[in-house]
Amino acid sequence: MFMGSGGPFRRLLRHMRSHRGTLRLASFCSITNKIWDLAPPLLIGLAVDVVVMQQDSFIASYGLVDPWHQLVLLSVLTFIIWGMESLFEYFYGVLWRNLAQTVQHELRLNTFNHVQQQGMGWFDERQKGDILAILNDDINQLERFLDKGANDLLQVSTTVVVVGAVFLIISWKVALFAVLPIPIIVWGSFRYQRSLEPRYAEVRRAAGAMNALLENDLSGMSTIQSFTAEDREYRRVEELSYIYKEANRDAIRLSAAFTPLIRMAILCGFTATLLLGGWITLDGGLAVGAYSVLVFMTQRLLWPLTRLGETFDLYQRAMASSTRVLDVLNTPHSLSEGDFEPTKSELVDADIVFNSVTFAYPNREDVFSDLNLRIGGGQVTGVVGSTGSGKTTLVRMLLRFVEPNTGGIRWLEQDISQWKLKSLRESISLVDQHITLFPTSILENIRYGLESADDHAVRRAAAIAEATEFIEGLPQQWDTLVGEGGHRLSGGQRQRIAIARAVLKDAPLLLLDEATSAVDNETEAALQRSIEQVTRGRTAVIIAHRLSTIRSADRIIVLENGAVVEDGRHEDLVNLKGVYARLWAVQTGEKISQ
């Protein structure tokens, strides 16, 4: 029955191959438990046989003639059988539940690790909420099946086999009619599986879309409330929730019909046993005890089969979820890498060269077209330009968050695609315009730049970023929890912590992408005072909207429409009276002499 939807299940088994021993042992305990569980009807039949036949009973034929002694023996056997059934129930419960938790744990870690290694383009094509749904809901769905559904399927299969064998041994005529519905039930189960599979795939897709919307709304609650858009978002959630409800309704409608149909099929088998077995018994062709066994066994067959619909429902939900999880795991890494690993000292004065780089985001116009640019090693290079000119894309290319469509980027005379990816990114410190802080202390958020750094190094990095004063003015100082995303701190405070984190990393290349965008004039002045210390002994690329931030840079390049239109020092560009001079005049209020 496991193979009714073979593809997803076989894929899951392949992924669980390191746990095959536990899987076999848990399956053995489930089957053994069910065999012991089916023994009491045999004892009941023997007891009836003893009471009716007494010295001529089935047990008496083995030498134990006294009826009382026969009943004592049956009582002892009852204790043994119930004890063994309980023991193996404990074993399979522990084994299946621990296996479910272990597989869930490993699958979540493996999937998360695989997701972490994808290129940023992979994330651009997916909703974050859908990825969260896979890491949480889908993996939990699989855990529920391993915890309960796998055992149920095994025990139902064991029941059919054992009861069928007992019926054949006692009376093949009764078995023929009693077991006749079983193939119909099995065939119907597989048909139901195939019908349920696409419905539950749709349920999981709807769950992912719902999760994405909720995650986005919770993250943007301040925007929703400031635009008084609560009703609008309520309607959007209502619409997606309705789609999710209807997807489940379609699956439930089909799944719910399964159990009543099984009951009707079993009723036919039970009625056949009752009437045909009774007729044969009354005719003297079957002992009363054997007839009792057949009746009780049919009842024992009825109960687990009525739960088959629920079990298949759980199974199909798990297979739909495992397909989504394993599809992510089987997604090839979108970034290739080489094995080049230079030392830090080699990179300090090494130039970075863009050779005929062309790049466009999917289904959009080119950001760069044949860009040629040399960033001097050991120098501070400022980058300015209007929105959409390619400033941030330049940074993303250096980190290999995006890849050139044509051309390449060389650092230390080696194309960065041939670097070991970890080595490349360890050589770069980034302060992004969108600051990410983690829900822990200020001290640990700065230490994120270098996990092995001691507290003294963390404080020194904070001092360079001029963050010490505000940190030590907080009630909890360095142990202050910043909250989710750092929401307990101001934008300027978050920016300073991010700069301190980058300073602590002490990488040969420092990238500042609008690093002063969220700071006030006083904080900007403080950062400008420390810019020389921050960039000393490394190459720095500073993308700035505020031109005062890069006024003292060794070189400033101006980007327009993905091309370098001006290049030089601040004074030279002002005197050029071009794009940079106009931007400077706008920000300072100066007039440009013609």
Side-chain angles (χ1 to χ4, degrees), residues 57 59 91 112 124 130 134 149 158 229 276 285 312 324 340 418 426 479 481 536 561 585:
S57 68
I59 296 177
F91 286 154
F112 178 70
D124 293 340
D130 191 44
I134 290 172
T158 303
L276 183 60
F312 272 131
R324 281 162 51 87
F340 184 60
Q418 300 305 310
E426 283 181 342
D479 294 325
L481 298 178
R536 186 179 300 150
N561 299 319

Side-chain angles (χ1 to χ4, degrees), residues 217 229-240:
D217 281 359
E230 293 90 344
D231 290 343
R232 190 185 316 166
E233 291 307 310
Y234 176 85
R235 289 193 299 271
R236 291 175 65 193
V237 171
E238 181 182 39
E239 181 181 353
L240 278 185

Side-chain angles (χ1 to χ4, degrees), residues 25-31 33-34 85 87-97 147 151-152 155:
L25 185 58
S27 299
F28 170 78
C29 291
S30 292
I31 293 170
N33 163 263
K34 179 49 63 175
E85 190 270 337
L87 184 64
F88 279 96
E89 182 176 3
Y90 169 77
F91 286 154
Y92 83 64
V94 169
L95 288 167
W96 280 119
R97 290 177 185 178
D147 188 24
N151 171 71
D152 286 349
Q155 294 207 332

Side-chain angles (χ1 to χ4, degrees), residues 290-305:
Y291 175 62
S292 302
V293 170
L294 292 178
V295 173
F296 281 113
M297 277 292 189
T298 305
Q299 188 65 28
R300 296 303 293 271
L301 181 63
L302 171 64
W303 174 246
L305 283 178

Side-chain angles (χ1 to χ4, degrees), residues 6 35 74 81 92 103-104 196 269 326 336 360 392 405 429 453 492 510 513 539 547 590:
I35 291 172
L74 290 175
I81 288 170
Y92 83 64
V103 170
Q104 177 195 46
L196 282 169
L326 295 174
S336 60
T392 297
N405 300 127
S429 291
L510 175 64
D513 187 2
T539 304
L547 302 187
E590 298 178 4

